[in-house]
Amino acid sequence: SDLSVFVKSSAYIIHVSGLMRFDARTGLVEEMEVDGWSWPTYLTNAGCVYVRELNRIYVLGGRGRFEEETNNRYMNKISYIELSDLKA
């Protein structure tokens, strides 16, 4: 299940295996690079919210796995994506 948040004219979409940014003005879709060490290679059933004052997307829970794991597990934590650090 994909998640999305809107920031100005862009939608950030957290999907099963990554993060995309859709620019509503230009129609451009980009796959965004997220820190691989702290971000799971597979994520589903999570919640998310954008906090404007911190310029972050917070990701709440979900099920997923990291690269070295073979089985999904409950992600019992709150993570965040620092939007100012993202690279296309």
Side-chain angles (χ1 to χ4, degrees), residues 15-83:
H15 58 97
V16 169
S17 59
L19 176 70
M20 293 186 302
R21 178 173 57 196
F22 169 70
D23 187 321
R25 290 175 295 164
T26 65
L28 180 66
V29 176
E30 300 174 280
E31 189 76 29
M32 305 303 293
E33 183 181 320
V34 179
D35 177 13
W37 184 81
S38 64
W39 191 256
T41 53
Y42 178 85
L43 179 66
T44 187
N45 299 327
C48 69
V49 63
Y50 173 66
V51 178
R52 183 180 59 222
E53 293 80 6
L54 300 174
N55 199 31
R56 292 178 177 169
I57 298 172
Y58 280 86
V59 181
L60 313 166
R63 290 192 55 77
R65 64 179 175 270
F66 290 92
E67 190 170 319
E68 67 280 358
E69 298 175 317
T70 56
N71 294 320
N72 292 340
R73 61 184 170 90
Y74 177 64
M75 301 291 190
N76 189 20
K77 65 180 195 172
I78 299 173
S79 305
Y80 66 87
I81 300 167
E82 188 78 49
L83 294 183

